[in-house]
């Protein structure tokens, strides 16, 4: 199973919005509403910020939002803050043999 | 929310077996969640290794299935990963995590770097 495709990098100034795409196939992203997003600061563990395409766990700011269209999911970070600078990974259910397929990761830089 | 902490050797020789344990605190290993292992390569790609329920039901990544073994130790409130016949390609940071369902990983340990080298 191939990894989901994300842009290597994205950036924005404080207060701006940035959107990250996550492209898969009809066997993963397009086939299930089980897309999650994780934030990983340098040297730290990933942290769940979005599940089931657009659900935020308790404690995650509403600046983070998710969506999906066809085989592509997206994460939008609104009102960028310095602490949002991190790597972001998507994941999707990929069927019984691939419960978790991860994206290639996107480094978000706050200018 | 449970806290997870990985432990184990940081250096394993080629062809040897990588063994890691994840201690669960703040909750019971017998809780109905999927206790999971994920690794992150030096290039930062994430790879799901497998998961186990406290009942012993296990799911493995097909690409690693022939070399992976997962287990739960209820007496220690921990779960473990064994990966045999390791090569340099198995060098990675290994994370333990848990999933309450819906194919999401709710919480992760801090990770343990394992290097395969002679």
């Amino acid at each position: 199973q191939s990894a989901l495709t994300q842009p290597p990098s994205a950036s924005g100034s404080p207060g701006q919005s940035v959107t990250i795409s996550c492209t898969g196939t009809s066997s993963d992203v397009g086939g299930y509403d089980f897309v999650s997003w994780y934030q990983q600061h340098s040297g730290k563990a990933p942290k769940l910020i979005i599940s089931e395409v657009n659900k935020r766990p308790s404690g995650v700011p509403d600046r983070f939002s998710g969506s999906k269209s066809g085989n592509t999911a997206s994460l939008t970070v609104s009102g960028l803050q310095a602490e949002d600078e991190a790597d972001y990974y998507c994941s999707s259910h990929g069927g019984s043999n691939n419960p978790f397929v991860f994206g290639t990761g996107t480094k978000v830089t706050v200018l | 929310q449970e806290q997870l902490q990985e432990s184990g050797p940081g250096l394993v020789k080629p062809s040897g077996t990588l063994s890691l344990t994840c201690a669960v605190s703040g909750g019971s290993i017998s809780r109905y969640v999927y206790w999971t292992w994920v690794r992150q390569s030096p290039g930062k790609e994430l790879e799901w290794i497998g998961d186990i329920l406290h009942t012993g039901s296990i799911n493995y990544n097909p690409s690693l299935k022939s070399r992976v073994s997962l287990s739960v130790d209820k007496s220690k409130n921990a779960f473990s990963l064994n990966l045999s016949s390791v090569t340099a390609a198995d060098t990675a940071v290994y994370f333990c995590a848990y999933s309450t369902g819906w194919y999401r990983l709710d919480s992760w340990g801090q990770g343990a770097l394992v290097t395969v080298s002679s």
Side-chain angles (χ1 to χ4, degrees), chain B residues 5-117:
Chain B
Q5 180 65 59
E6 304 87 350
S7 62
L11 181 64
V12 181
K13 294 186 185 303
S15 78
T17 297
L18 179 160
S19 296
L20 292 172
T21 295
C22 182
V24 179
S25 59
S28 172
I29 195 76
S30 295
R31 183 182 170 201
Y32 197 90
V33 301
Y34 294 87
W35 304 106
T36 304
W37 289 96
V38 175
R39 67 182 182 180
Q40 186 168 36
S41 68
K44 302 175 76 173
E45 294 89 358
L46 290 166
E47 181 178 31
W48 175 81
I49 298 171
D51 59 39
I52 183 170
L53 286 170
H54 68 91
T55 57
S57 176
I58 301 174
N59 298 293
Y60 292 121
N61 185 322
S63 68
L64 299 170
K65 186 174 183 177
S66 63
R67 300 193 293 128
V68 174
S69 174
L70 302 184
S71 61
V72 166
D73 188 336
K74 295 181 181 180
S75 67
K76 296 182 178 179
N77 214 45
F79 60 105
S80 297
L81 163 70
N82 284 327
L83 180 66
S84 63
S85 305
V86 296
T87 69
D90 295 309
T91 293
V93 175
Y94 286 77
F95 293 98
C96 59
Y98 72 81
S99 171
T100 55
W102 309 122
Y103 303 104
R104 63 174 180 245
L105 293 167
D106 298 79
S107 185
W108 302 55
Q110 287 303 299
L113 173 62
V114 179
T115 301
V116 178
S117 175

